[in-house]
Amino acid sequence: MLLERFYDDDLAQASYLIGCQATGEAIVVDPRRDVQVYLDAVSKHGMRIVAVTETHIHADYLSGTRELARATDAAIYVSGEGGLDWQYGFDAHLLYDGDVVTVGNIRVQARHTPGHTPEHLAFLVTDGAFADEPGYMLSGDFVFVGDLGRPDLLDEAAGGKDTRFQGASDLFDSLRNVFLELPDHVQIHPAHGAGSACGKALGAIASSTVGYERLHAWWGPYLAADDRAGFVSELLEGQPDAHAYFARMKKENRDGPAVLGPLDELAEITAAHALAMLSAGGAVFVDTREPNEVRAGSLPGALAIPAVGKTAAWGAWAIDPEREKRPLVVLAHDRAQAEDVRAHLLRVGIDSYAGYLTSLAGLPTVTSATVTPESLADLDDAFVLDVREASEYAAGHVPGAARIGAGRVLWETDRLPTDRTIVTYCQSGARNIVASQALRRAGIPVIELSGSYLGWVRARQQIQTMSAS
């Protein structure tokens, strides 16, 4: 049996290829939307993809299930569990608790594990060439390394009302009735790792075992003591922000993401062509350079989506494809980087591109408005906006600052004043350039705090040192 993991550091998302080497058949679980990586893998291993499936209706990225099935003529399998509100809106084979998909000598059994979402499935994998019992679980967003899938996203991102409590209770039962009934040796391969917003304390290790999680995960003592109320309280406490784009992902993944097919190469365009499109309002300019390069000078109205770090998530913070229908013009170092940026943005449903250019030469530029920490107090009646996570804000913030996470600020502009200077900051400046440029493009002038929160802390420390001496 072949079990290969494909990990996207951008979205902290894992997908899996499971193949039978005897028959050359393979199944892919939780694929991302840029599917060439799976096609390359089966070509390398001399296999063919005969089935595609997913553990649940995802909220943090756009599923590649339909894209990969179209490219390979594979059968699609999705959950039929969860009730009428959680049925997929496209043609597929439905899986219920206990159903099995056979791939050569491999058995992939669906187990209904509600909690993170009502329809959630985990997959028990049996390598029939060596064993007659499961040795692996692809746990999706049910069990992570050291943590569990959050049950509050339906409230936070899908318009639910107090569904988190039932979800948390369901998760308690899924652990007790499914997970803890498995032998300790079963290996756990989750759909997310550290950095994902689908939980609050995900481990960075790629996999675990039932036995290790039983002994060491935070939830173990609650299950051992049958303390449902304590489990629910601890699980719901301190979950990270649910980004606004999660609601769009839920809907698109339920109904079926658009199938793109093979993509043409991005065309390199001239500065004059780019300027003509932008001046006519026919395109949106995206600057993918480092944050400080953008601050030093970019096109008026440009969005900032750095091509390092969390490009997909940052893109979804700054662009809502349901409202923004114009194609993107991408500023990148070269074609390879522009294509890579597009691949990341496709994962969150940003699909339309007019081309790319590699230089701002010949184009008008503006610098970003900034204020130093030392001069912040000189701004009369400034509205200071912290765009970090709630946990970061709680650990320390600029006195008097309000907080709206960078992943929600473009959707909550009604909370911003229209008669005060707005000063924004994050931890070190990367998230802040994404949020501030998005707000500027939306017609809301903002000033960035130089160095963001860490710069403000350093300035305070220098003042204290000088006062002490």
Side-chain angles (χ1 to χ4, degrees), residues 166-441:
Q166 183 61 53
S169 184
D170 288 345
L171 197 51
F172 186 90
D173 289 332
S174 293
L175 287 168
R176 182 174 58 187
N177 299 331
V178 178
F179 190 82
L180 293 181
E181 290 297 309
L182 296 172
D184 282 351
H185 69 266
V186 172
Q187 295 180 23
I188 305 303
H189 297 273
H192 291 289
S196 168
C198 290
K200 60 182 177 180
L202 283 69
I205 297 173
S207 64
S208 186
T209 65
V210 170
Y212 192 86
E213 296 303 305
R214 187 198 310 269
L215 287 173
H216 300 294
W218 67 262
W219 49 262
Y222 292 103
L223 270 292
D226 197 27
D227 181 4
R228 184 183 298 266
F231 171 88
V232 168
S233 177
E234 177 63 26
L235 178 61
L236 295 178
E237 179 68 25
Q239 290 289 354
D241 287 350
H243 305 310
Y245 79 90
F246 283 6
R248 176 172 59 86
M249 294 292 95
K250 273 286 184 187
K251 179 179 180 294
E252 290 192 46
N253 282 325
R254 181 198 66 199
D255 296 344
V259 175
L260 301 173
L263 299 173
D264 294 331
E265 280 191 343
L266 282 178
E268 184 173 6
I269 60 179
T270 65
H273 185 193
L275 185 59
M277 282 193 294
L278 296 167
S279 299
V284 177
F285 189 79
V286 173
D287 195 328
T288 69
R289 295 175 300 161
E290 296 281 348
N292 283 335
E293 292 182 278
V294 178
R295 292 186 182 100
S298 190
L299 265 68
L303 293 174
I305 305 175
V308 292
K310 300 291 185 179
T311 304
W314 291 341
W317 295 356
I319 301 170
D320 180 0
E322 293 184 335
R323 294 184 290 183
E324 180 54 80
K325 305 297 185 182
R326 288 169 292 185
L328 306 186
V329 173
V330 177
L331 175 65
H333 293 310
D334 51 30
R335 183 189 300 278
Q337 187 183 58
E339 297 278 6
D340 186 60
V341 168
R342 178 174 66 170
H344 282 254
L345 296 182
L346 290 176
R347 297 170 197 171
V348 289
I350 301 171
D351 297 349
S352 183
Y353 299 83
Y356 77 97
L357 67 163
T358 59
S359 171
L360 290 176
L363 294 172
T365 61
V366 293
T367 58
S368 299
T370 60
V371 62
T372 66
E374 294 83 359
S375 301
L376 180 59
D378 297 334
L379 291 178
D380 185 39
D381 195 30
F383 181 86
V384 181
L385 178 63
D386 187 322
V387 300
R388 298 176 301 163
E389 293 281 339
S391 59
E392 295 174 291
Y393 181 86
H397 57 269
V398 175
R403 191 193 77 84
I404 307 174
R408 302 197 67 89
V409 68
L410 196 63
W411 283 258
E412 299 184 12
T413 56
D414 58 339
R415 295 174 55 188
L416 301 177
T418 58
D419 57 350
R420 298 168 64 187
T421 301
I422 301 172
V423 178
T424 62
Y425 71 89
C426 65
Q427 188 74 359
S428 61
R431 287 171 288 177
N432 196 34
I433 193 65
V434 177
S436 63
Q437 289 292 110
L439 289 172
R440 288 169 181 142
R441 179 168 180 80

